[in-house]
Structures are given as C-alpha cells and as structure tokens.
Amino acid sequence: MPNIKSAIKRVKVAEKAQAANAHAKSTMRSTVKKAEQALVAGAENAPQLVAAASKALDKAASKGLIHKNAAARKKSRLATK
C-alpha cells in the first residue's frame, strides 16, 4: 500500500474503475451470448437481441473495454448468423 496521499487515491480510483469495467464487460458478453443463443434457437425476438448486442458492443468499444475492430468483427459475425 502506498504512503503518499495521491498514490493512495489513485489505487482507490483504479479499483473502482476496474470494478465498473469488469461489470460493463460482463454485461456486454452476456448480451452477445443471449443474442447468439436466440439466433441458434430461431427465436422470434432474435432481431431485437442482436440489435441490443450490437449496441452493447459499440458502447464497450467507445469506453475502450474492447478494441473497435473487435467490436466490428463481433457485430459482423452476429449479423451473418
């Protein structure tokens, strides 16, 4: 644990950001997984789930959680399915 006040604050801020990023990334993965399962099952709400997954991927890319090309690749693969 750091002794300097600013370093202590940076550790706290980093932990808080890490938790928020982990939650956002997990939510994004869950949304994509639900969309993929709906496509495989042929569910009638699949287009809405794909749109939600696409939005989640865009949001994750804009926040820097995943690379923008990775988001584009995942969106493309979802769309072709």
Side-chain angles (χ1 to χ4, degrees):
M1 190 70 187
N3 295 323
I4 299 167
K5 191 174 184 180
S6 61
I8 292 170
K9 183 176 180 183
R10 287 306 314 155
V11 167
K12 288 180 184 176
V13 169
E15 286 174 351
K16 194 172 181 182
Q18 185 179 6
N21 288 339
H23 179 263
K25 203 166 187 178
S26 173
T27 304
M28 183 252 327
R29 285 193 191 118
S30 298
T31 309
V32 171
K33 192 177 285 188
K34 283 180 189 173
E36 286 175 344
Q37 289 172 347
L39 286 169
V40 170
E44 53 191 51
N45 66 340
Q48 290 87 2
L49 291 174
V50 169
S54 178
K55 184 177 178 180
L57 286 165
D58 283 336
K59 193 173 271 193
S62 71
K63 290 182 178 183
L65 297 177
I66 59 173
H67 195 273
K68 64 175 186 151
N69 290 353
R73 183 179 65 245
K74 289 175 191 286
K75 284 170 52 178
S76 174
R77 288 180 181 170
L78 266 178
T80 45
K81 286 181 185 177

